[in-house]
Every structure is written in structure tokens, then in C-alpha cells.
Amino acid sequence: QVQLVESGGGLVQPGGSLRLSCAASGRTSGTVAMGWFRQVAGKEREFVARIRWSGGSTEYADSVKGRFTISRDNPRNPKNTVFLQMNSLEPEDTAVYYCNIIIVGTRTYWGQGTQVTVSS
């Protein structure tokens, strides 16, 4: 089993910044990637960003390129941890943000989500 705990969400004004964190614990050996998705009520969950554990390459949705940065903690940290630095936030970024982890040979695990609200 793998557990994911997200933190860092909140209310921010347009143009502001937030940093989300996600810590994975449990059987994380064999991690392929960790990433962030977001979901607005009544809409499908959408991809935001992903970082591959081997090599650290990253991918972003077009809507967040140049504004969001995904990174990871020291690989020696027993808890796989990923961050999402969100700058120049817009009202359209308002959503529940979910962290996920892909582990080879098992299923994808999801966190409980953290609310991000961008409003003046």
C-alpha cells in the first residue's frame, strides 16, 4: 500500500503564488513518476504536471507552462516527495489539486486532494 498526503493549498489573489507538496509513504520502491492533476466540480480531472523519477524529466499541460514548476525532494529521502510551485496564478487555476504516483507493477495511487482558490 502507498499513502499520499498533499498540503499547501489555500486562497490566493490573482497573480499570487502557492507551493503544493505531496509526500508518499509505504511501498514506493519502483516509482516511475509522480504528478499533479486538478479537477473543477462537474468537469473531468485534468493533467497538470509530471516528473519522472529516473532522470527527473518533466512534462506540463500547455495551460500551466511557464507558470508552474514541478520538482522532487532528495531521492535519498525515504518519503518520495514532489512539489508544485505555482506562480502567476489565475482564477482559471481554481480547482482541487490531486497528487498521484505511478509504481511499476502496481496501480496508480492518488492523494485526497487540496483546494486551490484564486480570487480577489
Side-chain angles (χ1 to χ4, degrees):
Q1 273 295 64
V2 176
Q3 297 79 39
L4 297 172
V5 177
E6 300 127 330
S7 61
L11 172 65
V12 64
Q13 292 187 342
S17 298
L18 281 175
R19 189 188 194 216
L20 305 183
S21 300
C22 174
S25 59
R27 296 184 177 182
T28 59
S29 176
T31 295
V32 175
M34 291 185 72
W36 292 93
F37 285 68
R38 65 187 181 187
Q39 188 169 23
V40 176
K43 295 187 177 181
E44 291 191 0
R45 192 172 296 186
E46 65 173 6
F47 168 75
V48 175
R50 177 184 298 119
I51 185 165
R52 298 197 181 274
W53 227 242
S54 177
S57 62
T58 58
E59 303 166 58
Y60 296 94
D62 288 343
S63 58
V64 306
K65 280 181 182 177
R67 301 188 298 122
F68 290 12
T69 302
I70 189 169
S71 61
R72 60 181 179 180
D73 201 352
N74 187 326
R76 295 182 180 179
N77 185 340
K79 281 191 175 182
N80 291 1
T81 303
V82 66
F83 306 98
L84 186 68
Q85 178 67 43
M86 305 186 295
N87 299 328
S88 303
L89 283 162
E90 304 167 351
E92 292 74 22
D93 296 316
T94 296
V96 178
Y97 283 70
Y98 295 91
C99 171
N100 79 347
I101 184 170
I102 302 171
I103 300 175
V104 64
T106 70
R107 65 179 181 88
T108 297
Y109 294 87
W110 293 88
Q112 80 285 356
T114 184
Q115 177 70 45
V116 171
T117 302
V118 184
S119 175
S120 54

mmCIF file with all atom_site columns, all heavy atoms in Angstrom, residues 38 40 46 67 89-95 97 118:
data_model
loop_
_atom_site.group_PDB
_atom_site.id
_atom_site.type_symbol
_atom_site.label_atom_id
_atom_site.label_alt_id
_atom_site.label_comp_id
_atom_site.label_asym_id
_atom_site.label_entity_id
_atom_site.label_seq_id
_atom_site.pdbx_PDB_ins_code
_atom_site.Cartn_x
_atom_site.Cartn_y
_atom_site.Cartn_z
_atom_site.occupancy
_atom_site.B_iso_or_equiv
_atom_site.pdbx_formal_charge
_atom_site.auth_seq_id
_atom_site.auth_comp_id
_atom_site.auth_asym_id
_atom_site.auth_atom_id
_atom_site.pdbx_PDB_model_num
ATOM 1   N N   . ARG A 1 38  ? -5.710  18.242 -11.624 1.00 0.00 ? 38  ARG A N   1
ATOM 2   C CA  . ARG A 1 38  ? -6.669  19.113 -10.962 1.00 0.00 ? 38  ARG A CA  1
ATOM 3   C C   . ARG A 1 38  ? -8.064  18.861 -11.506 1.00 0.00 ? 38  ARG A C   1
ATOM 4   O O   . ARG A 1 38  ? -8.238  18.398 -12.627 1.00 0.00 ? 38  ARG A O   1
ATOM 5   C CB  . ARG A 1 38  ? -6.273  20.580 -11.115 1.00 0.00 ? 38  ARG A CB  1
ATOM 6   C CG  . ARG A 1 38  ? -6.311  21.103 -12.538 1.00 0.00 ? 38  ARG A CG  1
ATOM 7   C CD  . ARG A 1 38  ? -5.727  22.517 -12.580 1.00 0.00 ? 38  ARG A CD  1
ATOM 8   N NE  . ARG A 1 38  ? -5.767  23.083 -13.926 1.00 0.00 ? 38  ARG A NE  1
ATOM 9   C CZ  . ARG A 1 38  ? -5.212  24.244 -14.265 1.00 0.00 ? 38  ARG A CZ  1
ATOM 10  N NH1 . ARG A 1 38  ? -4.559  24.965 -13.343 1.00 0.00 ? 38  ARG A NH1 1
ATOM 11  N NH2 . ARG A 1 38  ? -5.313  24.692 -15.493 1.00 0.00 ? 38  ARG A NH2 1
ATOM 12  N N   . VAL A 1 40  ? -12.175 20.542 -11.416 1.00 0.00 ? 40  VAL A N   1
ATOM 13  C CA  . VAL A 1 40  ? -13.214 21.501 -11.067 1.00 0.00 ? 40  VAL A CA  1
ATOM 14  C C   . VAL A 1 40  ? -14.527 20.733 -11.000 1.00 0.00 ? 40  VAL A C   1
ATOM 15  O O   . VAL A 1 40  ? -14.763 19.827 -11.814 1.00 0.00 ? 40  VAL A O   1
ATOM 16  C CB  . VAL A 1 40  ? -13.296 22.626 -12.109 1.00 0.00 ? 40  VAL A CB  1
ATOM 17  C CG1 . VAL A 1 40  ? -14.453 23.563 -11.791 1.00 0.00 ? 40  VAL A CG1 1
ATOM 18  C CG2 . VAL A 1 40  ? -11.981 23.396 -12.169 1.00 0.00 ? 40  VAL A CG2 1
ATOM 19  N N   . GLU A 1 46  ? -8.006  16.836 -14.900 1.00 0.00 ? 46  GLU A N   1
ATOM 20  C CA  . GLU A 1 46  ? -7.078  17.119 -15.992 1.00 0.00 ? 46  GLU A CA  1
ATOM 21  C C   . GLU A 1 46  ? -5.634  17.111 -15.513 1.00 0.00 ? 46  GLU A C   1
ATOM 22  O O   . GLU A 1 46  ? -5.333  17.481 -14.370 1.00 0.00 ? 46  GLU A O   1
ATOM 23  C CB  . GLU A 1 46  ? -7.391  18.472 -16.646 1.00 0.00 ? 46  GLU A CB  1
ATOM 24  C CG  . GLU A 1 46  ? -7.202  19.674 -15.752 1.00 0.00 ? 46  GLU A CG  1
ATOM 25  C CD  . GLU A 1 46  ? -7.378  20.992 -16.523 1.00 0.00 ? 46  GLU A CD  1
ATOM 26  O OE1 . GLU A 1 46  ? -7.752  20.969 -17.700 1.00 0.00 ? 46  GLU A OE1 1
ATOM 27  O OE2 . GLU A 1 46  ? -7.094  22.042 -15.911 1.00 0.00 ? 46  GLU A OE2 1
ATOM 28  N N   . ARG A 1 67  ? 4.495   28.941 -15.887 1.00 0.00 ? 67  ARG A N   1
ATOM 29  C CA  . ARG A 1 67  ? 3.979   29.456 -14.620 1.00 0.00 ? 67  ARG A CA  1
ATOM 30  C C   . ARG A 1 67  ? 4.165   28.463 -13.475 1.00 0.00 ? 67  ARG A C   1
ATOM 31  O O   . ARG A 1 67  ? 4.393   28.866 -12.335 1.00 0.00 ? 67  ARG A O   1
ATOM 32  C CB  . ARG A 1 67  ? 2.492   29.796 -14.750 1.00 0.00 ? 67  ARG A CB  1
ATOM 33  C CG  . ARG A 1 67  ? 2.171   30.825 -15.815 1.00 0.00 ? 67  ARG A CG  1
ATOM 34  C CD  . ARG A 1 67  ? 0.705   31.259 -15.755 1.00 0.00 ? 67  ARG A CD  1
ATOM 35  N NE  . ARG A 1 67  ? -0.206  30.149 -16.003 1.00 0.00 ? 67  ARG A NE  1
ATOM 36  C CZ  . ARG A 1 67  ? -1.147  29.753 -15.145 1.00 0.00 ? 67  ARG A CZ  1
ATOM 37  N NH1 . ARG A 1 67  ? -1.289  30.369 -13.999 1.00 0.00 ? 67  ARG A NH1 1
ATOM 38  N NH2 . ARG A 1 67  ? -1.947  28.748 -15.467 1.00 0.00 ? 67  ARG A NH2 1
ATOM 39  N N   . LEU A 1 89  ? -0.721  32.966 -10.622 1.00 0.00 ? 89  LEU A N   1
ATOM 40  C CA  . LEU A 1 89  ? -1.984  32.223 -10.588 1.00 0.00 ? 89  LEU A CA  1
ATOM 41  C C   . LEU A 1 89  ? -3.131  33.045 -11.144 1.00 0.00 ? 89  LEU A C   1
ATOM 42  O O   . LEU A 1 89  ? -3.199  34.275 -10.953 1.00 0.00 ? 89  LEU A O   1
ATOM 43  C CB  . LEU A 1 89  ? -2.283  31.772 -9.166  1.00 0.00 ? 89  LEU A CB  1
ATOM 44  C CG  . LEU A 1 89  ? -1.458  30.553 -8.702  1.00 0.00 ? 89  LEU A CG  1
ATOM 45  C CD1 . LEU A 1 89  ? -1.466  30.434 -7.191  1.00 0.00 ? 89  LEU A CD1 1
ATOM 46  C CD2 . LEU A 1 89  ? -1.995  29.297 -9.349  1.00 0.00 ? 89  LEU A CD2 1
ATOM 47  N N   . GLU A 1 90  ? -4.026  32.342 -11.805 1.00 0.00 ? 90  GLU A N   1
ATOM 48  C CA  . GLU A 1 90  ? -5.200  32.954 -12.446 1.00 0.00 ? 90  GLU A CA  1
ATOM 49  C C   . GLU A 1 90  ? -6.457  32.315 -11.855 1.00 0.00 ? 90  GLU A C   1
ATOM 50  O O   . GLU A 1 90  ? -6.418  31.187 -11.373 1.00 0.00 ? 90  GLU A O   1
ATOM 51  C CB  . GLU A 1 90  ? -5.134  32.699 -13.957 1.00 0.00 ? 90  GLU A CB  1
ATOM 52  C CG  . GLU A 1 90  ? -3.864  33.178 -14.614 1.00 0.00 ? 90  GLU A CG  1
ATOM 53  C CD  . GLU A 1 90  ? -3.695  32.636 -16.025 1.00 0.00 ? 90  GLU A CD  1
ATOM 54  O OE1 . GLU A 1 90  ? -4.484  31.753 -16.424 1.00 0.00 ? 90  GLU A OE1 1
ATOM 55  O OE2 . GLU A 1 90  ? -2.759  33.105 -16.718 1.00 0.00 ? 90  GLU A OE2 1
ATOM 56  N N   . PRO A 1 91  ? -7.582  33.032 -11.931 1.00 0.00 ? 91  PRO A N   1
ATOM 57  C CA  . PRO A 1 91  ? -8.831  32.433 -11.433 1.00 0.00 ? 91  PRO A CA  1
ATOM 58  C C   . PRO A 1 91  ? -9.132  31.075 -12.071 1.00 0.00 ? 91  PRO A C   1
ATOM 59  O O   . PRO A 1 91  ? -9.710  30.199 -11.411 1.00 0.00 ? 91  PRO A O   1
ATOM 60  C CB  . PRO A 1 91  ? -9.881  33.471 -11.812 1.00 0.00 ? 91  PRO A CB  1
ATOM 61  C CG  . PRO A 1 91  ? -9.128  34.765 -11.797 1.00 0.00 ? 91  PRO A CG  1
ATOM 62  C CD  . PRO A 1 91  ? -7.766  34.433 -12.329 1.00 0.00 ? 91  PRO A CD  1
ATOM 63  N N   . GLU A 1 92  ? -8.686  30.896 -13.325 1.00 0.00 ? 92  GLU A N   1
ATOM 64  C CA  . GLU A 1 92  ? -8.929  29.624 -14.008 1.00 0.00 ? 92  GLU A CA  1
ATOM 65  C C   . GLU A 1 92  ? -8.131  28.466 -13.410 1.00 0.00 ? 92  GLU A C   1
ATOM 66  O O   . GLU A 1 92  ? -8.377  27.303 -13.738 1.00 0.00 ? 92  GLU A O   1
ATOM 67  C CB  . GLU A 1 92  ? -8.575  29.756 -15.493 1.00 0.00 ? 92  GLU A CB  1
ATOM 68  C CG  . GLU A 1 92  ? -9.492  30.675 -16.294 1.00 0.00 ? 92  GLU A CG  1
ATOM 69  C CD  . GLU A 1 92  ? -9.255  32.155 -15.990 1.00 0.00 ? 92  GLU A CD  1
ATOM 70  O OE1 . GLU A 1 92  ? -8.150  32.505 -15.502 1.00 0.00 ? 92  GLU A OE1 1
ATOM 71  O OE2 . GLU A 1 92  ? -10.180 32.960 -16.233 1.00 0.00 ? 92  GLU A OE2 1
ATOM 72  N N   . ASP A 1 93  ? -7.178  28.765 -12.541 1.00 0.00 ? 93  ASP A N   1
ATOM 73  C CA  . ASP A 1 93  ? -6.416  27.710 -11.865 1.00 0.00 ? 93  ASP A CA  1
ATOM 74  C C   . ASP A 1 93  ? -7.141  27.169 -10.639 1.00 0.00 ? 93  ASP A C   1
ATOM 75  O O   . ASP A 1 93  ? -6.677  26.209 -10.013 1.00 0.00 ? 93  ASP A O   1
ATOM 76  C CB  . ASP A 1 93  ? -5.044  28.242 -11.444 1.00 0.00 ? 93  ASP A CB  1
ATOM 77  C CG  . ASP A 1 93  ? -4.170  28.629 -12.618 1.00 0.00 ? 93  ASP A CG  1
ATOM 78  O OD1 . ASP A 1 93  ? -4.121  27.857 -13.596 1.00 0.00 ? 93  ASP A OD1 1
ATOM 79  O OD2 . ASP A 1 93  ? -3.547  29.708 -12.556 1.00 0.00 ? 93  ASP A OD2 1
ATOM 80  N N   . THR A 1 94  ? -8.244  27.792 -10.282 1.00 0.00 ? 94  THR A N   1
ATOM 81  C CA  . THR A 1 94  ? -9.019  27.328 -9.131  1.00 0.00 ? 94  THR A CA  1
ATOM 82  C C   . THR A 1 94  ? -9.511  25.908 -9.364  1.00 0.00 ? 94  THR A C   1
ATOM 83  O O   . THR A 1 94  ? -10.147 25.616 -10.376 1.00 0.00 ? 94  THR A O   1
ATOM 84  C CB  . THR A 1 94  ? -10.211 28.262 -8.879  1.00 0.00 ? 94  THR A CB  1
ATOM 85  O OG1 . THR A 1 94  ? -9.719  29.555 -8.526  1.00 0.00 ? 94  THR A OG1 1
ATOM 86  C CG2 . THR A 1 94  ? -11.091 27.718 -7.759  1.00 0.00 ? 94  THR A CG2 1
ATOM 87  N N   . ALA A 1 95  ? -9.190  25.017 -8.433  1.00 0.00 ? 95  ALA A N   1
ATOM 88  C CA  . ALA A 1 95  ? -9.561  23.608 -8.565  1.00 0.00 ? 95  ALA A CA  1
ATOM 89  C C   . ALA A 1 95  ? -9.091  22.855 -7.325  1.00 0.00 ? 95  ALA A C   1
ATOM 90  O O   . ALA A 1 95  ? -8.358  23.412 -6.489  1.00 0.00 ? 95  ALA A O   1
ATOM 91  C CB  . ALA A 1 95  ? -8.914  22.990 -9.799  1.00 0.00 ? 95  ALA A CB  1
ATOM 92  N N   . TYR A 1 97  ? -6.553  20.118 -6.350  1.00 0.00 ? 97  TYR A N   1
ATOM 93  C CA  . TYR A 1 97  ? -5.343  19.561 -6.935  1.00 0.00 ? 97  TYR A CA  1
ATOM 94  C C   . TYR A 1 97  ? -5.026  18.209 -6.279  1.00 0.00 ? 97  TYR A C   1
ATOM 95  O O   . TYR A 1 97  ? -4.993  18.102 -5.041  1.00 0.00 ? 97  TYR A O   1
ATOM 96  C CB  . TYR A 1 97  ? -4.176  20.531 -6.746  1.00 0.00 ? 97  TYR A CB  1
ATOM 97  C CG  . TYR A 1 97  ? -4.232  21.688 -7.712  1.00 0.00 ? 97  TYR A CG  1
ATOM 98  C CD1 . TYR A 1 97  ? -5.211  22.669 -7.592  1.00 0.00 ? 97  TYR A CD1 1
ATOM 99  C CD2 . TYR A 1 97  ? -3.331  21.791 -8.772  1.00 0.00 ? 97  TYR A CD2 1
ATOM 100 C CE1 . TYR A 1 97  ? -5.297  23.710 -8.486  1.00 0.00 ? 97  TYR A CE1 1
ATOM 101 C CE2 . TYR A 1 97  ? -3.398  22.845 -9.666  1.00 0.00 ? 97  TYR A CE2 1
ATOM 102 C CZ  . TYR A 1 97  ? -4.385  23.796 -9.526  1.00 0.00 ? 97  TYR A CZ  1
ATOM 103 O OH  . TYR A 1 97  ? -4.460  24.835 -10.427 1.00 0.00 ? 97  TYR A OH  1
ATOM 104 N N   . VAL A 1 118 ? -8.219  30.831 -6.437  1.00 0.00 ? 118 VAL A N   1
ATOM 105 C CA  . VAL A 1 118 ? -7.592  32.076 -6.873  1.00 0.00 ? 118 VAL A CA  1
ATOM 106 C C   . VAL A 1 118 ? -8.708  33.100 -7.067  1.00 0.00 ? 118 VAL A C   1
ATOM 107 O O   . VAL A 1 118 ? -9.512  32.993 -7.982  1.00 0.00 ? 118 VAL A O   1
ATOM 108 C CB  . VAL A 1 118 ? -6.802  31.887 -8.175  1.00 0.00 ? 118 VAL A CB  1
ATOM 109 C CG1 . VAL A 1 118 ? -6.075  33.181 -8.536  1.00 0.00 ? 118 VAL A CG1 1
ATOM 110 C CG2 . VAL A 1 118 ? -5.824  30.736 -8.038  1.00 0.00 ? 118 VAL A CG2 1
#
